[in-house]
Amino acid sequence: MIQSLGIVPRHVIALSAPDTVLIERNLGKRIDPQTGEIYHTTFDWPPEPEIQNRLVVPAGISELETAQKLLEHQRNIVRILPLYPKILKVISADQPCVDVFYQALTYVQTNHQSNAPFTPRVLLCGPVGSGKSLQAALLAQKYSLVNVCCGQLLKEAVADKSKYGEVIQPFFEKEMAVPDGIVKKLLCQRLSQLDCLQRGWVLHGFPRDVDQARLLTGRDCTPNRVFFLNVPLDSIIERLTLRRTDPVTGERYHLMYKPPPTMEIQARLLQNPKDSEEQVKLQTDQFYRKCPELEQFYEQAITLNGDQDPYTVFEYLESGIINPLPSKVP
């Protein structure tokens, strides 16, 4: 779920301790009903008798309840940790908390080198709804690449009120396209940062035409792997026009692939205007009209069928990154 949203952690830490230790720790918890402060009978007992006398045992920490929670945790964690083999560090929590903290801090301050055979600079091109964001997240996860989404980068610049953000914000407010020159400067600044230089990157959302592609040049900004994800219009319409959002919870649904659980929720779902069939057709048509020139510009680009299982698409992408590019026959 988080990968499909483009959220890819750089470091994953799992804190581990024997169940007997965790149960003992949990049984010692006490809570101050007036302040909400949490204390412990062994590790953090308040010196004030007044506070001691009003502490209560919080609900849900009995030995049986704690054991049930640990069992559920063990069932889930064995499926989660294998997803992060290259960035996972297990730290024993059965030691002083200061030692745990410094081990965790030391780990998150390390930079992971990409485990690809070279430093990849990957560009994913494709129409809206072709799965670029998901594939970028999968590539970033497996190869420790920096996931650079052009649209997200612009939003972050505005949110951070950076130098570029102040220039971009008026275009956002007027719902106008940000000039290519500004986007290019912001992108090249991001792609030349240390994490991108060390680990490589995967870019999506830019360029969308040849003029933009010509801007994306330079030692650190030029991609060395380019992929085009081709998806027919019918499939794109199915993927996008059936997306809905619950205005109450913010939960996202798809009427075919992830339908709402109740009729009550379905009745209140809203569609983003950008997901209307008219808008989807317009954006798709714009991409495919400009696509031939873009493919010609990137002569060694690899074109893939994006209208298949996403993990099948990922395998083809992975093959294109690992294997040498084919030589052009004169």
Side-chain angles (χ1 to χ4, degrees):
M1 176 61 182
I2 64 172
Q3 287 183 348
S4 66
L5 297 175
I7 302 172
V8 181
R10 297 178 182 177
H11 304 81
V12 174
I13 295 175
L15 300 181
S16 177
D19 286 355
T20 52
V21 173
L22 298 174
I23 291 173
E24 181 182 354
R25 288 182 180 179
N26 217 31
L27 290 175
K29 286 183 179 177
R30 297 295 184 268
I31 189 168
D32 185 338
Q34 290 188 11
T35 65
E37 287 288 327
I38 297 176
Y39 297 91
H40 196 279
T41 54
T42 302
F43 306 113
D44 186 23
W45 191 245
E48 301 87 349
E50 179 185 356
I51 297 178
Q52 294 176 8
N53 294 333
R54 65 174 185 247
L55 295 183
V56 297
V57 179
I61 68 164
S62 69
E63 185 171 350
L64 177 60
E65 290 170 307
T66 302
Q68 290 174 337
K69 291 177 182 177
L70 288 172
L71 180 60
E72 182 180 2
H73 168 75
Q74 295 298 341
R75 287 173 178 165
N76 293 327
I77 201 68
V78 294
R79 293 183 295 174
I80 296 174
L81 296 186
L83 299 175
Y84 304 102
K86 303 297 182 181
I87 57 173
L88 172 67
K89 182 175 180 62
V90 179
I91 297 177
S92 171
D94 189 17
Q95 55 182 323
C97 60
V98 173
D99 294 340
V100 175
F101 171 76
Y102 279 109
Q103 289 179 40
L105 180 63
T106 300
Y107 179 61
V108 300
Q109 288 177 334
T110 61
N111 287 318
H112 298 295
Q113 293 285 344
S114 169
N115 59 346
F118 61 102
T119 303
R121 300 190 298 273
V122 182
L123 173 62
L124 299 182
C125 299
V128 58
S130 59
K132 299 186 296 296
S133 295
L134 174 58
Q135 296 302 328
L138 294 173
L139 287 172
Q141 175 60 61
K142 181 157 187 178
Y143 292 103
S144 300
L145 308 181
V146 179
N147 187 350
V148 182
C149 171
C150 181
Q152 187 63 33
L153 194 64
L154 295 174
K155 293 176 183 177
E156 290 174 357
V158 172
D160 294 341
K161 298 181 179 179
S162 66
K163 176 182 67 175
Y164 288 116
E166 294 177 355
V167 178
I168 296 168
Q169 186 168 4
F171 295 96
F172 274 21
E173 292 173 348
K174 297 175 183 177
E175 297 184 353
M176 296 172 58
V178 180
D180 292 345
I182 298 174
V183 178
K184 179 253 184 182
K185 290 179 180 178
L186 183 63
L187 269 177
C188 287
Q189 180 191 64
R190 180 66 187 93
L191 298 179
S192 61
Q193 290 181 3
L194 184 61
D195 56 347
C196 288
L197 297 178
Q198 288 182 330
R199 295 156 47 196
W201 45 261
V202 51
L203 170 65
H204 50 111
F206 190 95
R208 298 180 179 178
D209 57 42
V210 173
D211 291 335
Q212 292 181 346
R214 291 193 178 103
L215 293 174
L216 200 63
T217 56
R219 185 182 63 181
D220 304 324
C221 303
T222 303
N224 52 26
R225 290 293 188 276
V226 179
F227 298 92
F228 284 84
L229 304 180
N230 280 347
V231 181
L233 177 60
D234 290 347
S235 297
I236 293 174
I237 289 175
E238 181 182 284
R239 291 182 182 185
L240 300 186
T241 62
L242 299 180
R243 297 193 299 194
R244 299 292 187 272
T245 303
D246 185 341
V248 176
T249 64
E251 185 73 21
R252 296 179 179 181
Y253 296 96
H254 191 280
L255 299 183
M256 181 177 293
Y257 305 127
K258 186 188 174 184
T262 67
M263 293 299 295
E264 178 186 358
I265 295 177
Q266 181 167 340
R268 68 181 186 233
L269 296 182
L270 299 176
Q271 182 187 45
N272 189 318
K274 293 182 180 179
D275 289 341
S276 69
E277 185 167 336
E278 180 182 0
Q279 285 295 315
V280 171
K281 285 182 177 178
L282 178 62
Q283 292 185 61
T284 304
D285 178 64
Q286 288 176 343
F287 173 80
Y288 280 122
R289 279 193 289 108
K290 299 173 181 177
C291 189
E293 288 186 344
L294 202 54
E295 288 180 321
Q296 189 175 5
F297 181 82
Y298 292 115
E299 294 181 342
Q300 291 191 307
I302 300 172
T303 300
L304 303 176
N305 174 18
D307 190 22
Q308 50 188 330
D309 177 81
Y311 290 97
T312 301
V313 177
F314 175 71
E315 289 177 1
Y316 283 111
L317 287 172
E318 189 176 18
S319 175
I321 291 176
I322 294 175
N323 297 323
L325 290 173
S327 300
K328 289 292 180 179
V329 179

